[in-house]
């Protein structure tokens, strides 16, 4: 899982949103319980925000440069699937390139 150490290169912030008590958020809570320490040790300067809110569907938000954000719904995903989604978001920046003419991101190879 060498990609975990590269998260802070591509991401400016990670945000996990979930409910403290709902069964839909159970896997997200378990994933964070097991993985947070490793993620933070490998990426000490990357803000990893944990937002608990009653009744909210579990979500993972990734913020990149220039305020670009992407969200993944984690409802019904296993810990392994959440890990895969995190890896995809961490590598997503490699699929973008900056278009100087239009001053916006364009996606490639998605």
């Amino acid at each position: 899982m060498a990609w975990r150490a590269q998260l802070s290169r591509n991401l400016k912030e990670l945000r996990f949103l979930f409910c403290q008590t709902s069964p839909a958020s159970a896997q997200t809570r378990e994933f964070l319980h097991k993985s947070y320490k490793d993620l933070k040790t490998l990426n000490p300067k990357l803000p990893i925000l944990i937002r608990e809110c009653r009744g909210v569907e579990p979500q993972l938000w990734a913020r990149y440069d220039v305020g670009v954000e992407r969200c993944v719904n984690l409802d019904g995903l296993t810990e392994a699937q959440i890990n895969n989604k995190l890896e995809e978001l961490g590598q997503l920046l490699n699929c973008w390139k900056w278009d100087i003419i239009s001053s916006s991101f364009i996606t490639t190879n998605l």
Side-chain angles (χ1 to χ4, degrees), residues 11 14 43 49 65 85 89:
L11 299 174
L14 274 177
N43 302 280
L49 308 176
D65 277 331
K85 293 295 182 183
L89 287 174

Side-chain angles (χ1 to χ4, degrees), residues 10-12 62-68 70 89-90 92-93 96:
N10 294 337
L11 299 174
K12 296 298 176 191
R63 185 169 57 86
Y64 304 89
D65 277 331
V66 199
V68 175
R70 294 290 178 255
L89 287 174
L92 187 60
L93 188 62
W96 294 340

Side-chain angles (χ1 to χ4, degrees), residues 46-58:
L46 177 66
I48 301 174
L49 308 176
I50 298 173
R51 301 291 184 243
E52 297 176 322
C53 180
R54 177 170 291 205
V56 72
E57 290 184 2

Side-chain angles (χ1 to χ4, degrees), residues 9-99:
R9 285 186 169 182
N10 294 337
L11 299 174
K12 296 298 176 191
E13 177 184 282
L14 274 177
R15 250 176 292 143
F16 288 89
L17 286 75
F18 57 92
C19 177
Q20 308 95 313
T21 58
S22 76
S25 294
Q27 293 294 320
T28 303
R29 290 191 304 269
E30 192 61 30
F31 173 81
L32 283 169
H33 181 74
K34 291 179 179 177
S35 301
Y36 178 83
K37 183 178 179 182
D38 183 46
L39 288 170
K40 199 60 182 172
T41 301
L42 294 171
N43 302 280
K45 294 184 179 182
L46 177 66
I48 301 174
L49 308 176
I50 298 173
R51 301 291 184 243
E52 297 176 322
C53 180
R54 177 170 291 205
V56 72
E57 290 184 2
Q59 303 169 13
L60 171 58
W61 285 84
R63 185 169 57 86
Y64 304 89
D65 277 331
V66 199
V68 175
E69 292 189 346
R70 294 290 178 255
C71 176
V72 175
N73 187 331
L74 304 177
D75 192 13
L77 299 183
T78 65
E79 290 178 50
Q81 291 170 320
I82 293 171
N83 194 57
N84 291 339
K85 293 295 182 183
L86 177 58
E87 182 178 6
E88 289 172 17
L89 287 174
Q91 296 175 350
L92 187 60
L93 188 62
N94 296 331
C95 299
W96 294 340
K97 69 178 182 182
W98 185 253
D99 184 359

